[in-house]
Amino acid sequence: QVRLVESGGGLVQAGGSLRLSCAASTLGFGSYAMAWFRQAPGKEREYVAAISWKGGATYYADSVKGRFTISRDDTLATVALQMDSLNAEDTAVYFCAARFRATVASMVRDPDLNAWGQGTQVTVSS
């Protein structure tokens, strides 16, 4: 079972940037599809961005497209989420997710089958 540890959250002013990182403890990291989800207070968990395990194709929720960038480093077994032009609606706990040789669609459709990190808080002050 892959173990995921997120870091990089914090408090930032609206319009600012943060970079989240997720470190995975597993062999064969390159065979894992990776994604970021978030959950704001009182709201359901929602998909934010994902990167495929083969080819590194990237996908984004409409709410973050053009502002967030997901990337992976298979040598270091990490995935990052660069968040720019942050606004108050981005305030949430951000979770890293992984699934072995999965499609991004399946990670979003069946999130209970993903491996999850413990989450990192992102707070954007307006």
Side-chain angles (χ1 to χ4, degrees):
Q1 179 75 351
V2 60
R3 182 168 171 264
L4 304 171
V5 179
E6 301 97 333
S7 61
L11 174 64
V12 63
Q13 288 189 331
S17 299
L18 276 177
R19 184 177 178 87
L20 305 183
S21 184
C22 173
S25 299
T26 184
L27 297 177
F29 176 78
S31 293
Y32 282 81
M34 302 297 298
W36 288 94
F37 290 73
R38 67 187 180 186
Q39 187 166 20
K43 294 188 176 181
E44 297 287 319
R45 179 177 54 194
E46 65 173 356
Y47 155 76
V48 175
I51 187 165
S52 68
W53 66 273
K54 188 165 61 174
T58 57
Y59 307 85
Y60 300 93
D62 288 343
S63 59
V64 307
K65 202 171 293 183
R67 301 187 298 120
F68 290 12
T69 303
I70 189 172
S71 60
R72 65 188 296 157
D73 186 328
D74 290 346
T75 301
L76 296 178
T78 59
V79 62
L81 185 68
Q82 176 66 39
M83 305 186 295
D84 299 319
S85 302
L86 287 161
N87 57 59
E89 288 69 40
D90 297 316
T91 295
V93 178
Y94 283 70
F95 297 90
C96 178
R99 197 186 301 180
F100 184 72
R101 293 189 178 180
T103 64
V104 168
S106 65
M107 292 188 75
V108 177
R109 184 179 62 244
D110 302 308
D112 289 346
L113 299 180
N114 299 336
W116 295 94
Q118 82 288 350
T120 186
Q121 176 70 47
V122 171
T123 303
V124 184
S125 63
S126 55

